[in-house]
Structures are given as C-alpha cells and as structure tokens.
Amino acid sequence: MGALDDGHFNAELENGVKLNCLDLGFEDQPETVAIEDAVKVLLQGLGEDINREGLKKTPLRVAKALREGTKGYKQKVKEIVQGALFPEVGLDDAVGHAGGAGGLVIVRDLDLFSYCESCLLPFQVKCQIGYVPSGQRVVGLSKLSRVADVFAKRLQDPQRLADEICSALHHGIKPAGVAVILQCLHIQFPNIESLFLDSSHQGWAKALVHSGSGVFENEFADVWGDFLSLLKFRGINVDKTQMKNSMQQCWCPSQCSSSAKVIGPPNPGMVTAVTSILSSLGEDPSRKELVGTPSRFVKWLVNFQNANLEMKLNGFACGRMDPLKQNGEVSHNKQQIYTELNLSFWSQCEHHLLPFYGVVHIGYYCAEEITPISKSLLQSIVHFYGFKLQVQERLTRQIAETVSSLLGGDVMVVVEANHTCMISRGIEKFGSSTATIAVLGRFSTDSAARDMFLQNIPNPASGRS
Amino acid sequence: MGALDDGHFNAELENGVKLNCLDLGFEDQPETVAIEDAVKVLLQGLGEDINREGLKKTPLRVAKALREGTKGYKQKVKEIVQGALFPEVGLDDAVGHAGGAGGLVIVRDLDLFSYCESCLLPFQVKCQIGYVPSGQRVVGLSKLSRVADVFAKRLQDPQRLADEICSALHHGIKPAGVAVILQCLHIQFPNIESLFLDSSHQGWAKALVHSGSGVFENEFADVWGDFLSLLKFRGINVDKTQMKNSMQQCWCPSQCSSSAKVIGPPNPGMVTAVTSILSSLGEDPSRKELVGTPSRFVKWLVNFQNANLEMKLNGFACGRMDPLKQNGEVSHNKQQIYTELNLSFWSQCEHHLLPFYGVVHIGYYCAEEITPISKSLLQSIVHFYGFKLQVQERLTRQIAETVSSLLGGDVMVVVEANHTCMISRGIEKFGSSTATIAVLGRFSTDSAARDMFLQNIPNPASGRS
C-alpha cells in the first residue's frame, strides 16, 4: 500500500497529537534509527562505553529529543491559523482604531525554545508579538503562540526566526501589520582551558532582534512606539535605540574565534555522524549556514571528554589526607564552618547529551592546623567533575568525596542547576531548577550544622531588585 | 476486528505522542461528540446563538481542551518511571549521604495546571518535589515533572493532588522518601452583584498543601528542614509553621456561602449537560466530591449571561452625549488627560469557555465644562462588558465606544489580561499576557497623546521589590 514510504507525520491534529495510522512506531522509524546510530558514534568518539547503564538508552533519548525539538518542519501555519480567524467589527477609520480594524493586539512573554543552526545547541527565546488587525477579523490569541512555536522548533538563527514568525503571521492573518521582538539567550561555549584561567567566562550570549511587516515595516512608525510602550510597563525593556544592530556579528559563541582553539581538528567520524543527524531531521546539511555545524557541535562535545581532563587534573589526588585519622583526633577543634558559595559549573547530561549548568556551594569544617582550601582549587575540582557526561546526583557526590578526602570528612555540597533537558523535549518547564545535596561526616548527623550552612546560601531573587 | 470498541488511547509514547492506529479520529470519537453536545446545551442555556461565528467551533474547542486537560486519567506512572531509573552509587551510611543513597534531590518550581473537581475551573500549581534516593538508584529528573503532570491533568483538589504525586513517586522510585509541596491558586468566583458593591473582591483563593512519604512521613523530621531550606534560598518561602492547616475549609470559592446567592436554582438541562461531560472525561459523576460540581459550574457560567446584565445596567446608556458636537466645539479646551488605571475585570473567553481576567486602563481628554466620569461608573462599564462571553479585542472596543459616547470622542483604552486558555490546552505559556488597545478621536492621530497616557501606566514589576 505504499504507506511505509510516505513519511511519518501524515496527520497532525492542532494540539500536537499525532495519528500516524499504518505507520511504523517512532522507535522503528528510519530517521530515529539513523539518529541513534549517529549518537552511538559520538559517544564512542568521546571514549564512552555505549553499553554503560546510564548511556544505554541515550541514543534513543537524543533521537526523541531532537525530533520533538525540530517537529516544526512538519507543521503548517495555514492549518493552525485557518480555523481561528474570527469576524470582529472594528471602528470607522475616521473615528479611531479598535477591534477588528486597527486596534493593536499584543501577546507578551511567550517562552520558546529553539536549536541553534550554527552549533546544534538549544537556545531560549522570550517572544513578543504584536499585530494590527484589519478586514474586520482577529485571530485566536493562542495561535500567535502556536505559530511562533512552529518556527522555533527548527534549527534557527534569531533574526531568521523573527522574520519567519512575522512573515507567517502576516500571510496567515492578513492584518495591517505584524511586529515580532525576540530576546534570545544562547549558552556559552565554555572552553575548559580558558575556564581555569578565568572563571568569569560565564553568562550568556544575547541577541535582541525584531522584524516588522505592513505598518511595522518602517521602524520609525508610531505604531512601534505603541508596541514598545505596552511592553515597557510590564517590565520588558526594549528600547527603540537598542534595537539597532544589537545582534552581534557572530551570535553563536561557537563562531567566536576565542573558543576555536580546540586540540586538533575534530574527529571525522563524529563529524559525519552529526551530518547524518541533520539529514535525518529533514535538513539539508549543505545549506550554507549548516556547513560548519557538525564540526562545531563535535567541538562542543569534546569539551566533555573524560580522558583529556583526567590527565590534566590528576594533580589534586596527591593532596589527600587520611580522613579518619584527622577526624578522630581533632574533631573538637572543628568548630568553624568554611563556605565557598556560587562556584559555577558546566556539565553535559549523559541521558540527553544536553547541557546543564549552575552553581556549587561547598561547606566544610576544618581543623585549625589545616589551611582551608583555596577557592581556585575548589573551582578546579568542580570543573573537573563538571566537564564530563554526568548526572547531577553523581557530580554532587564526587565533589563532596574529593573535598572530603582533602579536608577530613565533614563536608556538605549543594549543587543547583538548570537542565536544558527540562525545557526542551516537550516538557517545557521553563522556570524550574534542581538542587542536590551530599552530606559527609558531621553534616550527615547534625541538622543544626546543615542548617547553618544552608542559611549562608544567598537568595538571588532577593538581591535582584 | 473490534478495534473501535477498544477505548481510544491504545498506545501512548512517553512524550505524549499518541499512536491511535485503527482508531477513530479525535473529532469523531463518541466522548468528543458527547462533550460537544453538552457544550451546545450550555451555550443555549446562556441565551447564546450557537451558530454565531465566534461560537460555532466552541463546542469542539471545549471538548479538545477538556480532554487534553484531563488526559492524565489515561497515563500510567509505571511506564513513565520504569525506563528512567539509573544505577548510581551512594555512600556508605557511616560516611554520609549522597548520590543513590540518601542525597536529597529536589526539583523546584514546576508550573502545573489542573482542573478543580469542585467547580470544573482550572487552577494553577507551583510544585516542589524532593526525594531521598535509596537502593543505589536515582530517577531521571524530568520524570518528577512528568509524574506530577499525570495527576495534575485530572479533576483534582490540592491535597489529593499532593498525595497522589507523592504516593506515585514513592511506589515508582522506591526511594527512602518523597516530599511534595504545592502552592495552588484558584480563580475567584466573582459574583456580579457583589462586584458592584465591592470591587476589591478580587485576587485568588490560595492553598498550600504538602505530602510526605517514608523519611518525610514525620513532619518534624530534619529532612523536611533541609528541603524547605533549599526552597527558601531560591525565594520560595514555605514556612514549616505555615504548612499546618493552611488549607482553608473550602478552598474552592464555589463552595463558600458568599458566592452562593445566585438568582434561582440552576437550569436542570445545563446541569445534566455538565454531568454528561464528567462521564465523557472518564469520571464517575456520583463520586462524592463531584456530586455538586455540575450545578456549581453552571452557577459560574450564569455569571456570564448576557440578558441579566443588560437589564441591570442599561442605566448608563441614558447619559450619552453626542460625541461629534462635543468634539467639534470645545476641542481647544481639551488639554488635560484624565486617567483611570487598573480597573479590574473578569470575562469568559467565548472560544474556549475559559476565564480571562486582568485590568483595564482608560484615558480620555475632557472639556472643562464636563465633569470627569467617576471611577465607579467606569468600573461598572468595565464589568458590564466583561461579564459576557467575550473576546478581548471586542471588550476593548466596547469599553472605548461607551466611554467615548459619554465623554465626547477622545478616548484610549488598554486592556491587559491573562488568558486561562493560554496555559491550559497543552499550550502552557505560563508567563504570557496579552494587551489590546483601542484609540478614538485625538488618540488615534496624536502619537504624543498616546505616549503620554501609556507612560502613566505603572509597571507592576518595578513596584514588587
């Protein structure tokens, strides 16, 4: 019946529920299998054992996440908008503008999530959309969000994303004009070498882009002023002047020269594997913007290669002391809690090959005759265990064990993180964060000690105002 | 082949993609059709024309939204958790707690959305989950979110939701213990009568509930202290003392006596229709907690009945002046912009029968010889147009036209709203808001006047710190 040749997203209901009748199950589809194979090549290229328990299903999880995260290629704006155009009378032009004829309509603060076409990493988007209805009709408000999502769920660049949302809405709604503003945040490309020299190499690459059609085509039109005012009094500060040239020359950090000095050229087998992933997602790997993407993604991955780091950092194992001996004899002197807060870290979730990042707080009791560990050594320990394929629970334990072996046993570690895998993959829990604790020695039995340490951790929200 | 009798959610992939092979399409399924029929009864009971353009597809949209919003009935926790348990070594108990043996793991600030079993309206949930791993295994962090969602997507009450999430995770992960804290917000039940007497009758019904298993079963256990500390330094202030009895006697405002004085008993046909919706969702309408739900939901709907209000409020039509006459003769005196900001409103989205609510800002030029309109009259106008099946664009226009007819033509109205339909229905854009503008007379041509008015609107974010 030919059904098996027919592509895999035959029918797609408005709410994203798929009815792939007569089709192969997701796991058996050739695209899924091809991505799985490619991910196995990548894991092996990183020197990982693909049969290790935590990694066994990683290829399938990555395939699911990538196909879910790029499902916009299969979605049609026309179908989304068509059923949601409603007649709505406006005002006579001589009287004013409102309703279906000229009254500006705005949807603010849509959280979106997209994949950077330059490096394949996800980036976050705050999306502001305005349009001016005409022809006595308006569109269902949620459709602005749905249409934006269709284009976010592709491999993108901020300006193109803004232009595509704007143009699709303009053609779908046929209004007097559409305005789109995107505030985009791209994870940095931490370079293990530079991180040890300069731990401030953190933060985000930012881009502020806009796109306008119809009455918004002229950037100096008054209607842009109305739109920006309506954003401003909700705390969204987009200045008209800012909007000029705010896009950096290379927004994706993978294209900045500083992060380019990776040891040697990328492994050709891994590059080929990423190229095959691009094809499986329905992209053309020879498209100009995608040509360098596979090697840039491999460079990112190689940052999280175990072997390289083990060699570089085996230094601090030498400093070990016997924790039990210390612990037994001098415990009465250990009255002082030393803390080192907000040590930043980067890591790669081994279940989804997606970054997670955040801060580590370390507290320890230290006998007087022992010099407290320097912040830079603690930061090195954090990076050492961060720059791997990891899970947060293990990272926390490993940091605690290492600090404990240096200092004699009474250690508490809190890791706070944001997981990219919690916001991509259709879960979209944008505001969520995770925390894990490890407690050793005195901290595991003395809740007052734990409390004293936890009270020291600052609340970033209260410092923000 | 019997496939058509077999229920409609045969296979369900982890990421919510359904493969209903050999099944009826969503629109033809008997549950969908039954809900559509019931919604038609409700619309007719409200005196609406079900063939009006904006309402034609409302029955189908409501059916989709309700079935999507209660899909948790068909989901199985076991399947979600099973593939995502990972071996992770812990520490020897004598040394401490970390990793897969005793290191507390927390996921914070999960935004959920549920339906109140008492009145069928949606309520918002901020969910905090902690668990203490044991048996040298941990669960994938995103599964905590997925499991919480399974129970949120049912008809719920806060305490039961917390208990079900807690118990499901406890059985699924078999950890040392699970803790769940939910901060729930329920929309108020605005009573049109009381609103005109007291416009402060706004805000939210709140409930703070918690549930604990294993090591969290004892509310005074130290581990609760660790959990709460880890929430606190991210700005989530849940006090241990607060957690006692914070649940009001009747959390759902529909059960508070004050909102019960609706004119006469609810229409029996409408009540029967809602009962049939409950059955179609797979619920048992005779379940104790659901017995009064249909009539409570009908009471809510009746608040938005056109006819009742028209009679009560036709008063202010009498005050009309001829806008053109006013406009032409005294325009040189109209130098002063009067503003009335943050007039609250409630409305019901006619596309989804879901509430939207927010504030209205009104600005107008007024000639000296005309007394400015009192705040209470403006508030009445806002409620008059709010308490209907509405769309925001029309509401904005209607308020502007009415104020203009009273004051002579130079009017600007901004409506800012949160739409429940933007966060239910699988769209889940929690932070988003909408704004619509109507401009009449001078405001439609004079961008400086618009700007002056918009500058007056306060930024609630800046006032929050």
Side-chain angles (χ1 to χ4, degrees):
Chain A
M1 308 201 346
L4 299 184
D5 309 318
D6 254 338
H8 305 278
F9 295 85
N10 296 335
E12 194 144 4
L13 286 187
E14 190 203 57
N15 59 354
V17 172
K18 283 164 203 151
L19 301 167
N20 297 7
C21 288
L22 302 177
D23 245 343
L24 289 170
F26 181 88
E27 303 196 8
D28 299 319
Q29 291 169 8
E31 292 89 340
T32 306
V33 175
I35 297 175
E36 284 185 87
D37 289 342
V39 173
K40 284 177 196 161
V41 172
L42 295 177
L43 291 173
Q44 285 167 326
L46 291 174
E48 292 282 351
D49 170 10
I50 58 170
N51 294 312
R52 175 157 76 79
E53 195 62 39
L55 294 180
K56 254 200 280 187
K57 285 191 181 169
T58 296
L60 178 58
R61 279 188 290 258
V62 173
K64 273 186 185 174
L66 280 174
R67 294 192 68 196
E68 170 74 22
T70 57
K71 69 179 177 190
Y73 289 114
K74 319 271 182 178
Q75 293 173 323
K76 295 204 173 49
V77 171
K78 208 173 160 189
E79 285 162 20
I80 293 174
V81 172
Q82 220 155 33
L85 288 170
F86 302 99
E88 197 58 52
V89 296
L91 293 174
D92 183 327
D93 203 36
V95 180
H97 310 297
L104 183 55
V105 174
I106 292 173
V107 175
R108 296 181 289 211
D109 277 343
L110 295 170
D111 283 314
L112 306 175
F113 203 78
S114 191
Y115 280 90
C116 174
E117 66 181 9
S118 171
C119 69
L120 265 190
L121 291 180
F123 64 96
Q124 280 185 56
V125 184
K126 274 266 182 224
C127 174
Q128 321 291 342
I129 302 178
Y131 82 100
V132 176
S134 77
Q136 311 238 333
R137 59 184 194 168
V138 298
V139 71
L141 291 166
S142 62
K143 303 306 167 194
L144 301 177
S145 165
R146 289 215 198 266
V147 169
D149 222 37
V150 165
F151 295 97
K153 291 244 159 47
R154 301 182 181 192
L155 304 187
Q156 279 290 8
D157 141 276
Q159 185 61 56
R160 185 149 52 86
L161 179 56
D163 291 342
E164 287 182 352
I165 295 171
C166 183
S167 154
L169 288 173
H170 195 87
H171 289 99
I173 310 173
K174 304 206 190 336
V178 178
V180 175
I181 294 179
L182 305 181
Q183 296 156 292
C184 302
L185 290 178
H186 191 305
I187 204 166
Q188 279 294 357
F189 242 57
N191 181 309
I192 184 71
E193 319 256 351
S194 63
L195 270 176
F196 281 98
L197 299 172
D198 169 22
S199 76
S200 70
H201 181 64
Q202 293 288 330
W204 298 87
K206 291 179 191 175
L208 175 70
V209 296
H210 68 285
S211 189
S213 68
V215 294
F216 288 98
E217 209 154 344
N218 173 4
E219 286 180 24
F220 301 100
D222 289 336
V223 67
W224 269 109
D226 296 345
F227 182 40
L228 294 176
S229 293
L230 282 170
L231 300 181
K232 197 178 286 170
F233 65 69
R234 274 298 165 266
I236 306 158
N237 266 312
V238 180
D239 204 297
K240 227 172 168 173
T241 56
Q242 264 184 285
M243 291 184 15
K244 280 268 164 222
N245 305 318
S246 78
M247 178 88 166
Q248 297 135 348
Q249 200 67 32
C250 54
W251 113 280
C252 172
S254 74
Q255 297 198 319
C256 298
S257 53
S258 69
S259 66
K261 40 175 177 176
V262 164
I263 327 95
N267 173 329
M270 293 171 79
V271 173
T272 308
V274 181
T275 307
S276 100
I277 290 176
L278 295 178
S279 306
S280 301
L281 297 176
E283 264 288 1
D284 170 12
S286 67
R287 173 156 78 80
K288 186 173 95 244
E289 296 84 357
L290 292 176
V291 169
T293 302
S295 58
R296 283 187 290 263
F297 183 66
V298 171
K299 279 182 193 170
W300 159 267
L301 273 187
V302 167
N303 269 327
F304 299 93
Q305 196 161 21
N306 252 321
N308 267 337
L309 279 171
E310 303 280 5
M311 288 189 294
K312 268 180 215 139
L313 298 171
N314 60 6
F316 54 70
C318 314
R320 281 183 187 222
M321 290 164 264
D322 178 3
L324 288 175
K325 195 174 128 207
Q326 292 288 353
N327 215 10
E329 291 180 12
V330 296
S331 63
H332 57 282
N333 288 329
K334 294 185 170 186
Q335 292 309 318
Q336 168 109 36
I337 299 184
Y338 292 85
T339 58
E340 205 64 72
L341 305 176
N342 292 312
L343 300 161
S344 62
F345 81 93
W346 292 93
S347 197
Q348 187 89 334
C349 165
E350 72 179 29
H351 300 151
H352 302 98
L353 288 193
L354 282 168
F356 68 102
Y357 51 84
V359 290
V360 179
H361 312 295
I362 300 176
Y364 54 94
Y365 282 92
C366 192
E368 272 166 26
E369 63 268 41
I370 298 179
T371 319
I373 305 187
S374 71
K375 179 171 183 174
S376 68
L377 177 56
L378 289 175
Q379 181 69 69
S380 299
I381 293 171
V382 166
H383 283 319
F384 177 73
Y385 290 109
F387 275 93
K388 284 179 166 56
L389 300 193
Q390 266 289 14
V391 298
Q392 188 177 336
E393 295 88 340
R394 190 190 309 146
L395 172 68
T396 314
R397 177 180 57 77
Q398 289 174 332
I399 294 170
E401 284 179 329
T402 303
V403 175
S404 160
S405 73
L406 293 171
L407 278 170
D410 299 328
V411 173
M412 179 157 177
V413 174
V414 172
V415 177
E416 299 190 88
N418 291 293
H419 285 251
T420 318
C421 60
M422 291 285 283
I423 38 178
S424 57
R425 308 196 302 128
I427 303 187
E428 310 228 331
K429 297 300 181 191
F430 281 92
S432 74
S433 65
T434 57
T436 44
I437 304 185
V439 285
L440 274 81
R442 178 166 167 181
F443 284 104
S444 64
T445 51
D446 181 350
S447 72
R450 290 202 299 275
D451 226 43
M452 212 185 304
F453 170 61
L454 291 172
Q455 296 304 329
N456 266 311
I457 300 177
N459 173 353
S462 72
R464 227 178 262 152
S465 70
Chain B
M1 311 210 337
L4 299 184
D5 310 317
D6 254 337
H8 305 280
F9 295 84
N10 297 335
E12 193 142 7
L13 286 186
E14 189 204 60
N15 59 355
V17 172
K18 283 165 203 150
L19 301 167
N20 297 9
C21 289
L22 302 178
D23 246 342
L24 288 171
F26 180 88
E27 303 197 8
D28 298 320
Q29 291 169 9
E31 292 89 340
T32 306
V33 175
I35 298 175
E36 285 184 85
D37 289 343
V39 173
K40 284 177 196 161
V41 172
L42 295 176
L43 291 174
Q44 285 165 329
L46 291 175
E48 293 281 351
D49 169 11
I50 58 170
N51 293 314
R52 174 156 77 78
E53 195 62 40
L55 293 180
K56 253 199 280 186
K57 285 190 180 171
T58 296
L60 178 60
R61 278 188 291 257
V62 173
K64 272 187 185 175
L66 279 173
R67 295 193 68 196
E68 170 75 21
T70 57
K71 68 178 177 193
Y73 288 114
K74 320 272 182 180
Q75 293 174 323
K76 294 204 174 51
V77 171
K78 209 173 157 189
E79 285 163 18
I80 293 174
V81 172
Q82 220 156 34
L85 288 169
F86 301 99
E88 198 54 52
V89 296
L91 292 174
D92 183 328
D93 203 35
V95 181
H97 310 299
L104 183 57
V105 175
I106 292 174
V107 175
R108 296 181 291 213
D109 278 343
L110 295 169
D111 284 314
L112 305 175
F113 204 77
S114 191
Y115 280 89
C116 175
E117 67 180 10
S118 172
C119 69
L120 267 189
L121 291 180
F123 65 96
Q124 277 186 58
V125 184
K126 272 264 183 227
C127 173
Q128 319 292 341
I129 302 179
Y131 83 100
V132 176
S134 78
Q136 310 232 327
R137 56 183 196 170
V138 298
V139 71
L141 291 166
S142 63
K143 303 305 167 193
L144 302 176
S145 165
R146 289 215 197 265
V147 170
D149 221 37
V150 165
F151 294 97
K153 291 243 156 56
R154 300 181 182 195
L155 305 188
Q156 279 291 6
D157 140 277
Q159 185 61 56
R160 185 150 52 85
L161 178 56
D163 291 342
E164 289 183 350
I165 295 171
C166 183
S167 156
L169 288 173
H170 196 86
H171 289 99
I173 310 173
K174 304 208 190 334
V178 178
V180 175
I181 294 178
L182 305 181
Q183 296 155 292
C184 302
L185 291 177
H186 191 306
I187 204 166
Q188 279 293 356
F189 242 59
N191 180 309
I192 185 71
E193 319 258 348
S194 64
L195 270 176
F196 281 99
L197 300 173
D198 169 20
S199 76
S200 72
H201 180 65
Q202 292 289 328
W204 298 87
K206 290 179 192 176
L208 175 70
V209 296
H210 67 287
S211 188
S213 68
V215 295
F216 287 98
E217 209 154 341
N218 173 5
E219 287 183 21
F220 302 100
D222 290 336
V223 68
W224 269 109
D226 297 345
F227 181 40
L228 294 176
S229 294
L230 281 169
L231 300 181
K232 195 178 288 170
F233 64 67
R234 274 298 165 267
I236 306 159
N237 268 312
V238 180
D239 205 297
K240 228 171 167 174
T241 56
Q242 263 185 283
M243 291 185 13
K244 281 267 163 222
N245 305 318
S246 77
M247 178 89 166
Q248 297 136 348
Q249 201 67 32
C250 56
W251 113 280
C252 172
S254 74
Q255 297 199 320
C256 297
S257 53
S258 71
S259 65
K261 41 175 179 178
V262 163
I263 326 94
N267 172 330
M270 291 171 82
V271 172
T272 308
V274 180
T275 308
S276 101
I277 290 177
L278 294 179
S279 306
S280 301
L281 297 177
E283 265 287 2
D284 169 13
S286 67
R287 174 157 78 79
K288 187 172 95 242
E289 296 82 359
L290 294 177
V291 170
T293 302
S295 58
R296 283 187 289 264
F297 183 67
V298 170
K299 278 182 192 169
W300 159 268
L301 274 187
V302 167
N303 268 327
F304 299 94
Q305 197 161 22
N306 252 323
N308 266 336
L309 277 172
E310 302 280 8
M311 286 187 297
K312 267 181 214 138
L313 296 172
N314 58 7
F316 54 70
C318 312
R320 280 181 187 227
M321 291 164 260
D322 179 2
L324 288 175
K325 193 174 132 206
Q326 291 290 352
N327 214 10
E329 289 181 12
V330 296
S331 64
H332 56 283
N333 288 330
K334 294 184 173 188
Q335 289 309 315
Q336 169 112 34
I337 300 184
Y338 293 85
T339 60
E340 205 63 72
L341 305 177
N342 292 310
L343 300 162
S344 62
F345 79 93
W346 292 94
S347 196
Q348 187 88 334
C349 164
E350 72 178 29
H351 300 149
H352 302 98
L353 288 193
L354 282 167
F356 68 102
Y357 50 86
V359 289
V360 179
H361 312 295
I362 300 175
Y364 54 93
Y365 281 92
C366 192
E368 271 164 28
E369 64 267 41
I370 299 179
T371 320
I373 304 187
S374 72
K375 181 171 181 172
S376 68
L377 177 56
L378 289 175
Q379 181 69 69
S380 300
I381 293 171
V382 166
H383 283 320
F384 177 74
Y385 290 109
F387 274 92
K388 285 180 165 61
L389 300 194
Q390 265 289 13
V391 298
Q392 186 177 335
E393 294 88 339
R394 190 189 311 145
L395 173 67
T396 312
R397 176 181 56 79
Q398 289 174 333
I399 293 171
E401 284 178 330
T402 304
V403 175
S404 159
S405 72
L406 292 172
L407 278 170
D410 298 328
V411 172
M412 177 157 178
V413 174
V414 172
V415 177
E416 298 191 87
N418 291 293
H419 285 251
T420 319
C421 60
M422 290 285 283
I423 40 178
S424 59
R425 309 195 302 127
I427 302 188
E428 310 229 331
K429 297 300 183 191
F430 280 91
S432 73
S433 65
T434 57
T436 44
I437 304 184
V439 283
L440 274 80
R442 178 164 166 183
F443 284 103
S444 63
T445 50
D446 181 349
S447 72
R450 290 201 299 276
D451 225 41
M452 214 185 304
F453 170 61
L454 290 172
Q455 296 305 328
N456 266 312
I457 300 177
N459 173 354
S462 72
R464 229 178 260 153
S465 71

